[in-house]
């Protein structure tokens, strides 16, 4: 009986491991240069592609591997890197979007629904519990998503900034492919991942920087960012970027992930001013100063872009760096007040109308 129990337990463990790892090959994505001659030709023609990889116009100095001291730092002050209680959620509005304005619903981390002139654009949707190729390890959510994927309204476009796990999620993409009809707008190369995951080719719009497409009456422009890409140890075989979304009179900018760089002034001159900017403020570190902005740099970029209202993203939901959980938004609030910049800091699920943004109330302070 003891032997039988051991065999049974071993079989259960193997089955559980097999279940957890069954999507791993798909999670890792596809090397786009091997995904077809048309995409390969486009990639090789790109001004951003040199010597077999995409590059930043302003070179980054991000470390190839974390410093040895970081392993010790990870074990310190762990409680400070997570909220001290339940993150408050709000129920997103269910009515039709405003036909002549801009409204945004932040779901957590970078996932944000923007309603612009009656159309809905979903940025970097990630609904999974972990941002990792594995369901068993990797950064885990600090709060639930305020609405289930199947409860989302009909979306007009889904825009992806790059292929890191906290911005491009296999399970979410597959669910949106089933439940929505919207096309996916992605930087060059990411279409190979989507095709591998079952997204029909006619729903994939793949753009290089400064290329544009019209969807549902909105103009989408793929613009630059200072970051990197990769779902395995191979980096930069897909492009990363930011997005300009322009209607007849309203404009929104989504930065994706990026370090600060002078290119924001050019984007602002060419496509601004913007009614709303969605700017990343978290997961910064001295170990990678050029690929994630600090909160102060996010304010600089917002001003370079000609932004009117800044909504911070890329904080609160996952622990991806060593800084305390609430530090990014505290620093942002302090910098915004010092420089007379209007910001909105919604709870996950809370709607923000750019014409009547709620006053910042410091809701996170009791959780810090």
């Amino acid at each position: 009986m003891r032997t039988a129990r051991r065999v049974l337990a071993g079989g259960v463990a193997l089955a559980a491991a097999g279940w957890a790892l069954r999507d791993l090959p798909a999670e890792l994505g596809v090397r786009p240069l091997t995904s077809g001659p048309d995409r390969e030709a486009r990639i090789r023609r790109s001004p951003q592609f040199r010597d077999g990889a995409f590059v930043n116009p302003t070179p980054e100095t991000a470390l190839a591997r974390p410093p040895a001291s970081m392993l010790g730092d990870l074990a310190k002050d762990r409680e400070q890197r997570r909220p001290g209680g339940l993150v408050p959620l709000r129920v997103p509005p269910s009515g039709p979007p405003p036909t002549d304005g801009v409204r945004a619903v932040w779901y957590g981390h970078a996932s944000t629904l923007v309603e612009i002139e009656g159309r809905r654009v979903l940025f970097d949707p990630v609904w999974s519990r972990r941002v990792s190729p594995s369901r068993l390890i990797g950064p885990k959510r600090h709060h639930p998503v305020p609405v289930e994927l199947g409860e989302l309204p009909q979306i007009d476009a889904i825009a992806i900034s790059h292929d890191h796990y906290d911005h491009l999620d296999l399970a979410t993409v597959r669910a949106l492919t089933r439940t929505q009809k919207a096309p996916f707008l992605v930087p060059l190369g990411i279409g190979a991942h989507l095709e591998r995951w079952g997204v029909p080719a006619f729903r994939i719009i793949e753009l290089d920087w400064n290329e544009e497409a019209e969807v549902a009456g909105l103009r989408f422009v793929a613009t630059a960012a200072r970051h990197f890409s990769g779902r395995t140890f191979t980096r930069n075989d897909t492009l990363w970027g930011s997005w300009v979304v322009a209607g007849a009179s309203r404009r929104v900018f989504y930065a994706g992930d990026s370090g600060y760089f002078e290119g924001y002034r050019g984007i602002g001159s060419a496509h601004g001013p913007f009614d709303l900017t969605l700017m990343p403020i978290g997961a910064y570190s001295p170990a990678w100063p050029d690929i994630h902005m600090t909160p102060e740099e996010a304010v600089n970029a917002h001003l370079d872009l000609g932004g009117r209202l800044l909504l911070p993203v890329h904080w609160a939901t996952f622990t991806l760096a060593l800084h305390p959980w609430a530090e990014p938004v505290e620093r942002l609030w302090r910098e915004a007040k010092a420089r007379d910049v209007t910001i909105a800091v919604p709870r996950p699920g809370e709607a923000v109308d750019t014409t009547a943004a709620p006053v910042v109330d410091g809701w996170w302070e009791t959780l810090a």
Side-chain angles (χ1 to χ4, degrees):
M1 288 295 294
R2 186 176 302 169
T3 301
R5 283 196 293 268
R6 287 176 179 171
V7 171
L8 179 61
V12 170
L14 285 172
W19 174 85
L21 297 174
R22 71 190 191 280
D23 284 333
L24 183 59
E27 286 277 12
L28 299 179
V30 176
R31 300 294 302 275
L33 286 177
T34 67
S35 64
D38 292 342
R39 181 177 289 111
E40 178 187 6
R42 285 193 66 198
I43 289 173
R44 294 193 183 280
R45 288 197 304 266
S46 171
Q48 283 60 251
F49 192 79
R50 292 198 291 268
D51 300 323
F54 287 102
V55 297
N56 285 305
T58 304
E60 78 283 357
T61 57
L63 298 179
R65 61 188 63 175
S69 61
M70 186 172 289
L71 296 177
D73 293 339
L74 284 170
K76 300 176 185 177
D77 304 322
R78 295 178 63 183
E79 294 304 316
Q80 293 187 24
R81 298 196 291 273
R82 62 185 64 157
L86 296 178
V87 175
L89 306 181
R90 293 291 181 265
V91 177
S94 57
T99 59
D100 60 352
V102 176
R103 185 170 68 182
V105 177
W106 176 60
Y107 296 123
H109 196 56
S111 303
T112 310
L113 178 70
V114 171
E115 298 171 328
I116 174 172
E117 296 181 356
R119 304 298 186 184
R120 293 187 175 104
V121 181
L122 183 60
F123 291 102
D124 283 354
V126 173
W127 258 249
S128 288
R129 184 168 175 262
R130 293 184 184 272
V131 285
S132 164
S134 168
R135 303 186 186 199
L136 303 178
I137 59 173
K140 185 171 60 175
R141 283 187 174 275
H142 296 312
H143 65 82
V145 187
V147 63
E148 295 298 326
L149 270 174
E151 298 172 356
L152 287 177
Q154 283 300 300
I155 307 298
D156 294 289
I158 302 163
I160 305 295
S161 63
H162 63 296
D163 71 358
H164 286 158
Y165 290 96
D166 58 321
H167 293 258
L168 180 65
D169 178 54
L170 179 149
T172 303
V173 167
R174 285 178 170 171
L176 291 172
T177 302
R178 293 191 306 269
T179 60
Q180 298 281 344
K181 299 178 180 178
F184 292 81
L185 293 109
V186 299
L188 190 56
I190 293 179
H193 297 329
L194 300 189
E195 289 174 355
R196 170 72 172 81
W197 299 345
V199 180
F202 69 85
R203 287 182 61 180
I204 300 172
I205 301 172
E206 208 166 348
L207 300 179
D208 200 349
W209 290 351
N210 301 317
E211 293 181 343
E212 60 184 69
E214 184 171 321
V215 176
L218 299 174
R219 183 170 62 93
F220 290 79
V221 185
T223 43
R226 192 183 187 194
H227 200 54
F228 69 106
S229 67
R231 296 177 75 84
T232 64
F233 295 110
T234 301
R235 285 188 172 185
N236 300 346
D237 54 2
T238 64
L239 186 59
W240 51 93
S242 55
W243 288 100
V244 169
V245 183
S249 60
R250 306 290 184 177
R251 294 181 180 86
V252 173
F253 179 78
Y254 173 57
D257 271 5
S258 180
Y260 180 77
F261 71 118
E262 292 296 325
Y264 286 119
R265 294 183 181 178
I267 294 171
S269 297
H271 304 289
F274 295 98
D275 299 274
L276 175 69
T277 69
L278 305 173
M279 305 302 297
I281 64 166
Y284 48 81
S285 170
W288 48 83
D290 299 328
I291 58 170
H292 280 168
M293 282 185 278
T294 64
E296 295 79 10
E297 289 171 329
V299 171
N300 284 342
H302 169 82
L303 292 172
D304 289 347
L305 291 160
R308 296 181 180 128
L309 176 67
L310 187 159
L311 194 157
V313 300
H314 211 267
W315 79 284
T317 305
F318 302 105
T319 296
L320 302 175
L322 295 178
H323 58 67
W325 177 77
E327 183 184 280
V329 73
E330 290 283 4
R331 288 174 58 173
L332 175 73
W333 198 14
R334 184 164 57 246
E335 185 74 4
K337 287 185 286 189
R339 302 181 69 178
D340 196 26
V341 167
T342 304
I343 67 172
V345 186
R347 297 152 180 83
E350 184 177 2
V352 172
D353 191 313
T354 58
T355 60
V359 176
V360 179
D361 61 6
W363 60 264
W364 62 86
E365 293 178 321
T366 60
L367 303 176

